[in-house]
């Protein structure tokens, strides 16, 4: 074999090797699976022709309301309870999922595409979205239209609340046709109500104290989708009842005590009213909530002994009591809001909040807000310390202040 033949043979072998390597690499890429562990990371996945999802156990909360029809057929919106991220699932069959359901999502066999500029996970098997007995809740992100236009595209169809708005347009005074929503800063966007929505038969308000919606960018244009009538609250149909825990000393060494505050009678168990310079508060005092598991006199609750009707939202301020044990605690410090509709005999969890650990000199109080499902009668509420105990057997101490109840007075029946 001459030199030229050897050279040609080597070049052929080299080219064959490159081709084989390239095919192997392509096959590897074709077989690689994306297995995001949260909706937040799912939104960061790049859509390609070769994108495939493997098995996942991805948590989420259903934030769309198919029962009221203002969402496309077989669409379900699920949101990450820990991050500002939501995604649309296109189910293979009509979904039985309801607003507020806690779910785990298996993306195996599904694909993700862009439909009119929105990321949509398609071919989702109904059996691959599992309802679980979780208590996580999504609180609407309070924002304005300008901020939403700047940032909302990256979040996906998250639940937002716009305060102090004016609605215009519509047809026959109802939620039909072209509707514009304008906020207090004079920014406007379309309010989208589908023809399949039960909202289309409702009288449209002109001014609202707040509007809660799914924020959707369709072909790069922002649209707000209210989910049901409760998402639109008129200004003159909202009453606010607030408890600041002022003016009354309730201190029984953390053992259970009942006190008459401005709103009515409250039981604080495993808690005291506190006024020190390190207690985070508005005004002169807040409740320092602790709790000792197994001690029925120190249950770690702030509990109403009276009922309210037509409450649609409860909020409160919270902060860490910055003692050394609390600051060094590596476990999450958490509280839950619970509701009772049988006079305090039993309670259900509406949602939880995680307390931010801040230094002694930081007096910041954080804000937690919870939607309340409509009930057939009166209800009462309590805040519960749900943290794991410290080494001393007590739960970490938390300051709670300014519990606020928003009441829809339009539901009150006049005598």
């Amino acid at each position: 074999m001459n030199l030229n033949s050897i050279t040609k043979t080597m070049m052929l072998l080299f080219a064959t090797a490159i081709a084989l390597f390239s095919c192997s690499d392509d096959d590897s890429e074709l077989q690689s699976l994306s297995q995001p562990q949260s909706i937040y990371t799912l939104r960061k996945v790049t859509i390609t022709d070769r994108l495939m999802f493997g098995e996942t156990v991805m948590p989420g909360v259903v934030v769309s309301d198919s029962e009221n029809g203002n969402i496309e057929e077989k669409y379900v919106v699920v949101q990450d309870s820990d991050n500002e991220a939501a995604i649309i699932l296109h189910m293979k069959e009509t979904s039985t999922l309801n607003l507020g359901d806690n779910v785990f999502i298996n993306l195996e066999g599904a694909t993700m595409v862009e439909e009119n500029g929105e990321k949509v996970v398609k071919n989702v098997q109904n059996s691959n979205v599992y309802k679980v007995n979780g208590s996580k809740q999504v609180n609407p992100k309070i924002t304005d239209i300008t901020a939403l236009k700047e940032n909302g595209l990256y979040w996906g169809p998250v639940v937002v609340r716009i305060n102090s708005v004016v609605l215009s347009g519509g047809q026959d005074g109802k939620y039909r046709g072209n509707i514009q929503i304008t906020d207090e800063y004079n920014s406007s966007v379309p309010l989208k109500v589908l023809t399949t929505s039960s909202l289309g038969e409702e009288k449209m308000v002109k001014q609202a104290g707040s509007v809660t919606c799914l924020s959707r960018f369709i072909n790069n244009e922002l649209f707000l989708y209210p989910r049901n009538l409760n998402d639109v609250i008129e200004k003159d149909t909202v009453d606010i009842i607030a408890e600041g825990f002022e003016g009354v000393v309730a201190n029984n060494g953390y053992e259970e005590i009942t006190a008459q505050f401005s709103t009515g009678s409250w039981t604080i168990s495993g808690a005291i009213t506190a006024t020190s310079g390190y207690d985070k508060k508005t005004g002169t005092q807040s409740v320092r909530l602790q709790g000792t598991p197994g001690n029925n006199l120190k249950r770690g609750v702030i509990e109403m002994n009276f009922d309210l009707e037509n409450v649609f939202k409860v909020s409160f301020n919270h902060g860490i009591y910055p003692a050394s044990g609390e600051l060094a605690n590596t476990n999450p410090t958490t509280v839950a809001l619970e509701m009772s509709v049988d006079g305090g005999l039993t309670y259900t969890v509406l949602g939880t909040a995680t307390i931010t650990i801040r230094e002694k000199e930081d007096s910041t109080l954080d804000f937690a807000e919870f939607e309340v499902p409509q009930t057939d009668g009166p209800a009462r509420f309590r805040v519960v310390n749900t943290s794991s105990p410290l080494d001393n057997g007590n739960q970490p101490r938390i300051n709670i202040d300014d519990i606020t109840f928003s009441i829809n007075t339009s539901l009150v029946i006049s005598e």
Side-chain angles (χ1 to χ4, degrees):
M1 182 178 293
N2 60 34
L3 183 60
N4 286 339
S5 297
I6 293 172
T7 301
K8 288 180 180 179
T9 302
M10 291 179 66
M11 291 178 66
L12 181 61
L13 290 170
F14 181 70
T16 303
I18 290 176
L20 288 172
F21 179 83
S22 299
C23 289
S24 175
D25 187 55
D26 285 348
D27 289 342
S28 174
E29 189 176 351
L30 281 169
Q31 296 303 315
S32 65
L33 299 176
S34 178
Q35 294 177 288
Q37 303 198 6
S38 69
I39 296 170
Y40 178 76
T41 55
L42 172 62
R43 288 204 61 82
K44 293 179 177 293
V45 171
T46 301
I47 297 175
T48 69
D49 292 339
R50 302 181 180 191
L51 174 62
M52 297 176 63
F53 288 114
E55 186 175 3
T56 61
V57 186
M58 190 170 63
V61 179
V62 176
V63 292
S64 56
D65 187 2
S66 59
E67 182 181 352
N68 285 279
N70 204 33
I71 188 78
E72 292 86 342
E73 186 179 4
K74 298 182 182 178
Y75 271 25
V76 175
V77 180
V78 287
Q79 185 163 334
D80 192 321
S81 62
D82 298 319
N83 295 284
E84 288 161 347
I87 198 75
I88 296 171
L89 305 180
H90 189 182
M91 313 299 292
K92 281 199 166 184
E93 300 173 9
T94 301
S95 171
T96 58
L97 298 171
N98 298 312
L99 176 64
D101 282 345
N102 280 231
V103 296
F104 283 121
I105 306 161
N106 179 7
L107 294 177
E108 188 173 24
T111 58
M112 187 161 65
V113 300
E114 273 202 9
E115 286 186 348
N116 301 318
E118 291 186 294
K119 283 188 171 181
V120 179
V121 179
K122 303 200 73 171
N123 301 316
V124 180
Q125 296 280 359
N126 288 51
S127 59
N128 278 359
V129 182
Y130 309 86
K131 288 186 188 180
V132 295
N133 294 323
S135 60
K136 289 202 170 183
Q137 185 177 0
V138 170
N139 294 319
K141 179 175 178 59
I142 299 174
T143 185
D144 58 68
I145 292 172
T146 299
L148 195 54
K149 286 180 177 179
E150 292 175 354
N151 302 303
L153 181 63
Y154 307 103
W155 301 334
V158 298
V159 184
V160 298
R161 173 170 293 138
I162 313 292
N163 290 324
S164 301
V165 299
V166 174
L167 279 67
S168 58
Q171 293 178 359
D172 303 322
K174 297 183 178 181
Y175 292 97
R176 299 174 181 168
N178 296 321
I179 304 170
Q180 288 285 313
I181 175 172
T182 304
D183 67 13
E184 57 188 323
Y185 306 106
N186 208 33
S187 293
S188 298
V189 293
L191 188 80
K192 188 72 170 179
V193 177
L194 302 179
T195 56
T196 55
S197 174
S198 59
L199 274 170
E201 299 302 316
E202 300 290 342
K203 180 181 176 182
M204 191 180 82
V205 303
K206 299 298 184 182
Q207 288 187 316
S210 69
V211 172
T212 299
C213 303
L214 297 178
S215 165
R216 297 177 61 181
F217 279 81
I218 301 174
N219 295 324
N220 291 319
E221 183 180 0
L222 174 63
F223 293 86
L224 297 179
Y225 282 67
R227 300 163 302 175
N228 50 54
L229 191 59
N230 288 335
D231 277 351
V232 186
I233 304 298
E234 293 181 76
K235 279 184 178 179
D236 58 357
T237 60
V238 178
D239 191 16
I240 301 295
I241 296 177
E243 181 54 72
F245 301 107
E246 297 287 336
V248 176
V249 176
N251 187 338
N252 193 28
Y254 289 98
E255 289 197 352
E256 191 162 303
I257 188 172
T258 299
Q260 188 74 23
F261 293 103
S262 63
T263 55
S265 172
W266 291 73
T267 294
I268 59 175
S269 179
I272 62 173
T273 53
T275 61
S276 81
Y278 291 130
D279 284 288
K280 293 176 172 59
K281 55 190 177 296
T282 58
T284 60
Q285 66 183 26
S286 60
V287 175
R288 189 193 301 163
L289 179 62
Q290 187 181 55
T292 306
N295 188 332
N296 288 333
L297 294 178
K298 297 182 178 181
R299 295 180 290 127
V301 301
I302 308 170
E303 192 170 74
M304 299 165 61
N305 297 319
F306 57 96
D307 292 318
L308 294 173
E309 292 190 279
N310 304 317
V311 177
F312 67 89
K313 182 173 62 179
V314 178
S315 63
F316 56 84
N317 292 325
H318 57 81
I320 196 70
Y321 177 70
S324 57
E326 280 74 6
L327 295 180
N329 183 27
T330 57
N331 293 320
T333 301
T334 56
V335 293
L337 179 72
E338 299 182 353
M339 177 178 73
S340 173
V341 294
D342 55 11
L345 294 176
T346 60
Y347 283 86
T348 57
V349 178
L350 295 184
T352 59
T354 300
I355 312 302
T356 301
I357 306 301
R358 302 182 187 275
E359 297 300 322
K360 287 186 177 182
E361 294 75 17
D362 190 338
S363 61
T364 303
L365 279 166
D366 294 301
F367 179 74
E369 184 176 79
F370 304 89
E371 300 292 317
V372 177
Q374 189 169 334
T375 62
D376 293 331
R380 64 182 59 184
F381 303 87
R382 68 182 183 183
V383 178
V384 183
N385 191 337
T386 52
S387 312
S388 297
L390 303 173
D391 290 342
N392 62 9
N394 297 322
Q395 293 166 292
R397 288 165 286 186
I398 304 163
N399 288 123
I400 302 293
D401 208 353
D402 302 318
I403 300 180
T404 300
F405 307 96
S406 298
I407 296 173
N408 188 349
T409 57
S410 68
L411 298 176
V412 176
I413 300 174
S414 300
E415 296 293 337

